[in-house]
Amino acid sequence: MDDRIDLAELLSRYADIADMKEFTHLPSRICTDPLTVDFEAVTGMPAITASLHDCVELLRTTLAPFAATHHAITGHVVTIDGDSATIHAHVRAEHWLPVELVGDGPDRWLVVGFYDTEAVRTPKGWRISRFKLTVTHQENPQLASLAQAAEQARRPQA
């Protein structure tokens, strides 16, 4: 039972990375290096496997324009096979843009769906090795593009 609790907690800590903007210490406590992320359902980009640092930077820049986010992850179904595990969980992710970006328009991008996550047991405990998001519903998905454009405009051009 302890493994199941530890594995479910990994997804709660993942939500803390995004929602508390804790990009420094928390990622290495919950993820492997390298890490595979598959958010094609919202980004249109195929899954990537990259260093944990690069994945965290991608998350940081993706979330930077949002004034706040809230990821509610529930209904964990954990399957353990030796030192490997999968976690299927429901997610409701809300992302709010500041009024300076949206004016009088909608300010909340809602994503509802599932995380299918793979984890491995390491000497330091369970770590997530792969995230996959399946989207079943979105509201105001155009705000994701608006946020991306705002972040690109903010960054100095090389």
Side-chain angles (χ1 to χ4, degrees), residues 10 22 31 54 97 129 146 151:
L10 287 176
E22 206 297 67
C31 297
D54 288 350
L97 282 174
S129 58
L146 181 60
E151 178 60 16

XYZ file of all heavy atoms in Angstrom, residues 10 22 31 54 97 129 146 151:
62
model
N 3.168 11.367 -6.244
C 4.005 11.950 -7.286
C 3.206 12.908 -8.167
O 3.695 13.983 -8.539
C 4.626 10.855 -8.160
C 5.744 10.027 -7.564
C 6.164 8.929 -8.534
C 6.939 10.892 -7.182
N 7.232 25.906 -8.540
C 8.413 25.409 -7.836
C 9.232 24.578 -8.814
O 9.143 23.357 -8.844
C 7.981 24.591 -6.612
C 9.011 24.546 -5.500
C 10.336 23.873 -5.859
O 11.096 24.397 -6.705
O 10.618 22.832 -5.301
N 10.785 13.254 -10.723
C 10.957 12.830 -12.119
C 12.334 12.233 -12.367
O 13.304 12.564 -11.684
C 10.787 14.026 -13.059
S 9.138 14.756 -13.023
N 15.642 20.483 -19.419
C 14.952 21.005 -20.595
C 13.435 20.880 -20.465
O 12.694 21.781 -20.868
C 15.427 20.295 -21.862
C 16.845 20.703 -22.257
O 17.401 21.663 -21.667
O 17.416 20.041 -23.153
N -5.108 33.805 -17.410
C -4.246 34.844 -17.953
C -4.589 36.192 -17.315
O -5.751 36.442 -16.977
C -4.411 34.951 -19.470
C -3.699 33.884 -20.287
C -4.073 34.016 -21.763
C -2.191 33.981 -20.111
N 8.745 8.714 -15.110
C 9.618 8.673 -16.285
C 8.894 9.120 -17.558
O 9.531 9.450 -18.545
C 10.177 7.260 -16.481
O 9.120 6.325 -16.630
N -2.434 32.469 -27.136
C -2.218 33.842 -26.671
C -1.088 33.878 -25.637
O -0.215 34.749 -25.686
C -3.511 34.406 -26.086
C -3.475 35.834 -25.568
C -3.112 36.810 -26.678
C -4.831 36.195 -24.969
N 4.648 34.994 -24.242
C 5.948 34.545 -23.738
C 7.028 34.758 -24.795
O 8.135 35.186 -24.477
C 5.882 33.079 -23.306
C 7.186 32.517 -22.806
C 7.788 33.214 -21.599
O 7.085 33.979 -20.897
O 8.989 33.004 -21.350
